[in-house]
């Protein structure tokens, strides 16, 4: 029992590492098969194979889930922990025969991969990430608020500049918001863009501000990391 | 009177916080209805409802504005303060029956949301932002000047490279400026782009310089933040 | 004579500042008229006016240039200095009636604007910029070399992935270089993009590397700025 | 023999620098001819000339390779070193008359250019790069993992939002991954983009997270560089 607990919960033994690696590989396999399932024009035999793999992985995940409950010191604590809920979420949809298509829930198996990071040598890096986030939390929230206001302001501005010239692309403030998101993030798909002189000048001003604003988080994070690293020493 | 003042101006009491939250919610509500109003093909009844909400919010904002004047120690000081003017600006257009469409002025209610940030725990972050801006002010202005020159130079250069091949897209230096803005900000809508070999080589050189230049503010801000954080300790 | 020298070369007197401001305004005016000249469909009278302004500005610039030579302590030193050459370059094309269209040389008047930065309070910021550049010079050159290699490597790779599927867009390594520039700078015009699965996977890998590489100068500059600021204190 | 060794392996003598420069020029020449070869519609005589240049460069590279083995203290050590393998790789394809088209291997001659960096004054910068990479390694790997998860999550999300509206562009999770790569890297080619309201809101949320995430490496690198620079002093 104690050996089993050690294999499942830790990875400081060889068998523990093998167990972890096997589960991680299964998760990635199940994500790959999930992705393949979405491909159009799959042959009947491929579909059947994907189904078999899904049944097998869910079976193993179920056994793993039950084992994890058994070896846990505080069983309820594990069930309602983050990982406990994620583990449950990744097998439950399979057992519930509902009208709703729950296949998409499988994507949350992704979250199980985070367990891969419990390796000791990453602990320090994770802790530093965490500390940097804590240090910069207020700044990042402030930044987010200013960014959201800027986006809304840009959307309203471009709406008044371009609405008449392009009544379809800039049909409302909501449509303009899409332009604001695509532009201030510098993605620039090119599906909507200003064509009037006024709209282009407005875009220019917004980008001058926006590019300055977009470089702020890099600055905040860099400074928070330096601080977190110092506290580390 | 003193209690009223405390409720309206501070948020260190429970009623103060409720008052603030109510006003903030109303501002967001009024921004949402403003956005909905721009949607095409609204039914008559929806328009009527939006109108009712607008009347109600302006009514409450007016009462709030008057109360703020009443409780202010220096009444004129408040009226001509930043927030005083913004508060006025967000109700005034409603009362002025002018020929010009003043609905767009409502977007300035956005500025009222900044009041939400007076919560104590953000004070430190705001102060740090402010101090970082002060530290980096000269560098940022210099940067802006260099950026504007680079934009203009890029526009003139691409005009001479592409004008003959694409006389419509690069019709003048002003048209080329639009390309320069979209390119050096890395938005790249794809409505105008060079097609000649000369224009592409010029774009390449401009981007090599431009990408270096664009990463400068992140560097300036990061270093200013580190400094501001140090002064904080 | 001494007063004249002071007015022209310094801006610590009121008349010196007025002289500087007047020249700066004239430069901007001449850049604006230069841009307007490129507009298509200008009326005859507008063209005439633009010509008059050009004659006037060149006249004043010529007088200024001669004055600057006269007041200079080392006349040859001024003529062959950076600003001396730029000043000459901005008036010379006007006087040379050559077959080649030299109007584009006027864009170099842009460089004269740098004189605007000699104001004392920017001296410190410029010096810090300069020092940060010196500190980070080797890293930035190294970075540029690696970037150029990455661009070339990306171009060759995408050429082999996409040449068959899109023989026109990816006609040669040189055509592919254009794609590499537009992609790794994250501009992404959308005139050329991979369509094969191989090309997309290659793009994905290149972007993973490229985004990391693109964030490097921000890091270098931030760290150089912090250092430069320290040395300042 | 000793002189030859010094010329080939070092560049602290004049002849050593000339030898290095000559080889570097040849590498660049061979990369240029390789690029020119991919141009369509080359005349027969151009092709012949390119072939001659290739034979000459490979000949010289072969002699250089043999000389490098001869002067090496540990011959096997050189052959299996990074540069030894790259040197071999850049001449071998020429001698192997195989059915497969090995011309593309020539791009690896690019790697030989790194030798150009052994100049003393870059040693310090390279060492600092290296140290910064070591300092930030764990963070960068963690970052890469989170980025990959985010990309996958974004792909699955947009697949469910857009699959019905654009069954061709978002045909499967793999197709959606292409969108996720182009969007979160902010390249935004514009070949695929969301059109449904749900898809656009999802894109908005993903970009808000993604832009924050993308600015993280700049922060990590900046802080690592500052640290590396400190250790330098």
């Amino acid at each position: 029992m104690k050996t089993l607990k050690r294999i499942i919960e830790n990875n400081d033994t060889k068998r523990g590492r093998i167990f972890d690696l096997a589960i991680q590989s299964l998760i990635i396999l199940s994500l790959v098969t999930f992705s393949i399932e979405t491909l159009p024009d799959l042959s009947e035999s491929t579909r059947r194979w994907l189904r078999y793999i899904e049944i097998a992985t869910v079976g193993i995940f179920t056994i793993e889930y039950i084992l994890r409950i058994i070896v846990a010191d505080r069983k309820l604590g594990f069930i309602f922990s983050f990982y406990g809920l994620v583990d449950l979420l990744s097998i439950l949809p399979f057992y519930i025969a509902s009208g709703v298509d729950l296949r998409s829930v499988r994507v949350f198996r992704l979250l199980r991969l985070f367990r891969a990071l419990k390796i000791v040598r990453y602990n320090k890096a994770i802790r530093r990430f965490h500390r940097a986030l804590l240090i910069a939390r207020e700044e990042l929230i402030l930044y987010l608020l200013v960014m959201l206001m800027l986006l809304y302001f840009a959307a309203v501005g471009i709406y008044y500049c371009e609405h008449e010239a392009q009544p379809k692309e800039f049909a409302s403030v909501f449509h303009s918001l899409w332009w604001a998101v695509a532009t201030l993030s510098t993605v620039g798909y090119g599906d909507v863009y200003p064509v009037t002189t006024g709209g282009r000048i407005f875009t220019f001003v917004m980008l001058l501000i926006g590019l300055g604003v977009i470089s702020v988080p890099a600055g905040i994070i860099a400074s928070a990391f330096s601080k977190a690293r110092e506290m580390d020493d």
Side-chain angles (χ1 to χ4, degrees), chain A:
Chain A
M1 187 68 191
K2 218 166 181 178
T3 328
L4 194 68
K5 184 178 168 67
R6 209 164 173 199
I7 290 170
I8 292 171
E9 291 195 337
N10 298 13
N11 58 3
D12 50 0
T13 59
K14 209 188 161 184
R15 279 187 289 178
R17 270 195 293 279
I18 289 168
F19 176 79
D20 268 30
L21 209 69
I23 293 291
Q24 301 285 350
S25 311
L26 263 183
I27 295 169
I28 289 171
L29 177 70
S30 90
L31 288 173
V32 170
T33 56
F34 165 65
S35 304
I36 291 173
E37 258 179 65
T38 64
L39 278 173
D41 307 324
L42 284 179
S43 70
E44 196 46 51
S45 74
T46 316
R47 284 204 181 283
R48 213 180 314 125
W49 271 104
L50 292 172
R51 184 81 190 143
Y52 290 160
I53 295 173
E54 176 62 14
I55 292 172
T57 48
V58 168
I60 296 169
F61 287 165
T62 311
I63 295 166
E64 184 215 350
Y65 180 60
I66 293 167
L67 282 176
R68 276 189 195 277
I69 295 178
I70 290 171
V71 301
D73 294 323
R74 295 165 48 247
K75 303 202 188 314
L76 271 175
F78 168 74
I79 290 171
F80 292 105
S81 71
F82 173 71
Y83 282 127
L85 289 173
V86 166
D87 286 359
L88 186 61
L89 207 66
S90 67
I91 49 171
L92 208 62
F94 183 83
Y95 295 110
I96 302 170
S98 73
V100 194
D101 184 4
L102 284 166
R103 279 183 308 166
S104 60
V105 176
R106 268 194 270 165
V107 76
F108 289 104
R109 287 181 192 166
L110 198 64
L111 295 173
R112 301 195 60 201
L113 287 175
F114 277 109
R115 268 213 190 99
L117 303 174
K118 47 173 197 193
I119 310 167
V120 184
R121 45 190 274 246
Y122 286 112
N123 272 348
K124 217 173 161 182
I126 292 174
R127 223 174 330 120
R128 214 176 289 143
F129 256 111
H130 191 70
R131 205 180 295 149
L133 265 180
L134 276 182
I135 291 174
R137 197 180 44 187
E138 264 93 28
E139 272 102 338
L140 289 176
I141 291 172
L142 260 186
Y143 167 78
L144 205 70
L145 283 177
V146 172
M147 196 73 207
L148 286 176
M149 284 185 189
L150 195 70
L151 277 172
Y152 185 73
F153 183 77
V156 172
I158 206 75
Y159 172 75
Y160 279 102
C161 289
E162 293 287 323
H163 178 55
E164 260 174 68
Q166 303 186 77
K168 228 182 124 190
E169 277 82 359
F170 295 92
S172 73
V173 167
F174 296 106
H175 290 79
S176 303
L177 253 177
W178 172 240
W179 167 86
V181 168
T183 298
L184 286 178
S185 66
T186 78
V187 169
Y189 287 122
D191 51 343
V192 274
Y193 49 83
V195 293
T196 64
T197 305
R200 288 178 168 190
I201 292 171
F202 181 76
T203 307
F204 171 55
V205 175
M206 276 295 116
L207 276 172
L208 269 190
I209 302 173
L211 285 185
V213 170
I214 265 186
S215 68
V216 167
I220 297 174
I221 290 166
S223 126
F225 255 97
S226 291
K227 189 89 187 277
R229 212 180 282 281
E230 262 172 55
M231 292 162 75
D232 230 44
D233 299 336

